[in-house]
Amino acid sequence: MADKRDYYEVLGVNKGSSDAEIKKAYHKLAMKYHPDKNPGDKEAEDKFKEVNEAYEVLSDPDKKDKYDRFGFAGVDPNFGAGQGGFGGFGGFGNFGGGFGGAGMNFDDIFDMFGGMGGSRRSSRRGGPQKGRDLQKTITIDFTDALFGCSKQIEIAKNVKCKTCGGSGAKPGTSKKTCDQCGGSGQISQVSNTPFGRFQNITTCPKCGGTGQMIETPCTDCGGTGVNRKTVKIKVDIPAGVDTDSIVTVRGQGEPGINGGPDGDLYIVVNVRPHSTYKRRGDDLYLEMPITFDMAALGGKVQVPGFGESYSYTITPGTQTGSSFRLKGKGVPNVRTGRKGDLYVKVVVEVPTHLNRKEKKAIEEMAQKINSESYPKKERFSKMKF
């Protein structure tokens, strides 16, 4: 854990950044380092995992609070951060901004004070680890984003081997205790230094820190405990999502390691634009054409909606470009469910392709309408340039 980068640094944001800024930074980096865009690039894969790990903590208010107070120790269950982290060690949490806040862990403390305590240790890497998080982008229709929908996606990922149940050992056999570390997963070495006797505890090289060895590997997975397969997953998209929204499907990432929890699947949503409606946040915008006589005389119009229509009365003398609002006829907020508004912009449509009779009727109308009925035109005609 000592080589971890600060989560804020990973996402390229400041500690006081808002949730929206953190989410935006995460999405940009996740798309940049996504394995589908960087096939075979180990460095990009590591970056992708690092970005997802940082976002998992900083997007969760409780985890973010613990991380801000205690650093990595606050969000690592192996260090008992839930019982106060470094804060319980005689005020270490307040020293120099807090060891936790500086991204330090027990390894760092033992590195600094190893001469005092006479020992140094390394964390056991063979303990339970969460599986790799995955990400997939899907595109949905405008109406699906408004009302929500269920989508079945396909994704290639590692899945737990059905033959061995993920143990990696051939059915009928079991793992054996590592004869080098005795099942502890760690090797202790003692050396004498000018500062005294020094004990160094490292991960067992033979079992990789698991404390167990597979003597007869499973023939289906080769002892890895996983197989690579393309699986179908049902994803429920909530009403109100927009482009760049992220839907989290817990436990649908790759299998955990050594009994750890499975990773998560992050669905990045892309919404197809609508031919008529536009969206800004939870509000909808619509340009609606009306006839000249409707604009002049007023009357009821029907505003088209999604699966329904809304009646509205146009006032006499309505000018092109004027707008009215239909409250609560917009998009439901993805968190609260409260709907935004619908803003309708009126556009007076001038008739085209007139026949002789229609032209004559307009000419007669124009002659009968007093010029004072066109106040803007009247003022404009009197202006001097």
Side-chain angles (χ1 to χ4, degrees):
M1 189 179 295
D3 59 350
K4 278 182 178 289
R5 286 200 298 155
D6 175 67
Y7 287 146
Y8 290 103
E9 178 186 345
V10 170
L11 297 183
V13 296
N14 296 322
K15 191 171 183 179
S17 298
S18 65
D19 292 343
E21 290 172 328
I22 291 173
K23 177 180 177 181
K24 183 177 180 181
Y26 161 73
H27 177 66
K28 180 179 179 181
L29 293 172
M31 295 295 287
K32 178 180 179 180
Y33 296 117
H34 194 282
D36 290 346
K37 291 188 176 182
N38 304 274
D41 189 335
K42 184 64 168 61
E43 183 178 354
E45 180 181 344
D46 292 340
K47 290 281 188 183
F48 181 70
K49 292 165 66 176
E50 184 182 41
V51 166
N52 275 296
E53 180 181 331
Y55 182 69
E56 182 187 3
V57 172
L58 298 184
S59 64
D60 185 307
D62 181 58
K63 291 181 180 179
K64 183 173 180 291
D65 177 65
K66 291 179 179 179
Y67 178 71
D68 288 343
R69 294 167 60 198
F70 306 116
F72 294 114
V75 292
D76 191 334
N78 293 327
F79 293 143
Q83 283 72 44
F86 289 129
F89 283 82
F92 277 6
N94 298 317
F95 179 76
F99 284 147
M104 300 183 71
N105 61 22
F106 280 122
D107 285 350
D108 300 310
I109 295 174
F110 274 98
D111 281 342
M112 296 176 63
F113 302 108
M116 296 170 59
S119 65
R120 181 184 183 277
R121 65 181 181 180
S122 65
S123 59
R124 177 173 172 174
R125 297 181 181 178
Q129 299 178 38
K130 182 182 177 182
R132 188 165 73 104
D133 293 332
L134 302 176
Q135 178 178 310
K136 185 175 179 66
T137 300
I138 65 171
T139 300
I140 63 175
D141 291 333
F142 194 86
T143 51
D144 286 338
L146 261 60
F147 298 108
C149 62
S150 292
K151 295 290 183 181
Q152 188 175 71
I153 67 167
E154 290 189 354
I155 187 169
K157 66 171 187 173
N158 289 334
V159 298
K160 187 180 294 185
C161 177
K162 292 184 177 180
T163 302
C164 66
S167 70
K170 183 178 180 180
T173 67
S174 60
K175 294 181 180 180
K176 304 295 183 181
T177 300
C178 176
D179 55 10
Q180 186 166 340
C181 66
S184 68
Q186 297 175 328
I187 299 296
S188 176
Q189 295 177 328
V190 179
S191 58
N192 294 317
T193 72
F195 301 100
R197 197 174 185 188
F198 190 85
Q199 183 181 21
N200 185 29
I201 301 176
T202 60
T203 300
C204 176
K206 188 171 184 179
C207 65
T210 64
Q212 295 181 313
M213 300 289 295
I214 299 175
E215 291 187 337
T216 309
C218 171
T219 55
D220 285 349
C221 66
T224 62
V226 296
N227 292 312
R228 191 74 175 174
K229 289 188 176 181
T230 297
V231 300
K232 294 181 178 180
I233 300 173
K234 180 183 177 184
V235 180
D236 292 323
I237 306 296
V241 295
D242 201 356
T243 292
D244 290 343
S245 291
I246 298 177
V247 178
T248 303
V249 187
R250 299 294 181 189
Q252 287 294 347
E254 295 195 335
I257 301 172
N258 298 323
D262 293 344
D264 299 322
L265 171 62
Y266 296 95
I267 303 295
V268 180
V269 179
N270 182 49
V271 181
R272 295 186 183 93
H274 196 271
S275 59
T276 306
Y277 274 88
K278 305 299 179 185
R279 176 179 176 179
R280 296 174 194 166
D282 296 334
D283 296 326
L284 290 176
Y285 293 81
L286 174 68
E287 285 193 0
M288 188 177 73
I290 63 173
T291 61
F292 170 80
D293 57 296
M294 175 64 73
L297 304 177
K300 286 188 176 182
V301 294
Q302 293 296 316
V303 181
F306 293 90
E308 59 182 326
S309 62
Y310 316 111
S311 180
Y312 185 82
T313 301
I314 299 291
T315 58
T318 293
Q319 302 297 307
T320 189
S322 60
S323 301
F324 59 88
R325 180 180 72 162
L326 296 176
K327 193 173 182 180
K329 302 301 181 182
V331 182
N333 185 279
V334 73
R335 291 185 176 85
T336 66
R338 182 179 180 181
K339 288 188 175 183
D341 301 325
L342 169 59
Y343 293 88
V344 183
K345 181 180 179 181
V346 173
V347 179
V348 178
E349 185 175 13
V350 178
T352 59
H353 307 296
L354 299 171
N355 58 37
R356 184 178 298 178
K357 185 177 180 180
E358 292 169 332
K359 289 180 181 179
K360 185 177 180 180
I362 293 178
E363 289 171 354
E364 291 176 352
M365 180 193 71
Q367 293 173 1
K368 294 178 180 179
I369 295 178
N370 193 301
S371 62
E372 294 179 356
S373 296
Y374 298 99
K376 292 182 180 180
K377 181 180 180 299
E378 189 71 10
R379 288 195 301 270
F380 185 84
S381 64
K382 293 179 180 179
M383 292 179 66
K384 294 182 179 181
F385 298 93

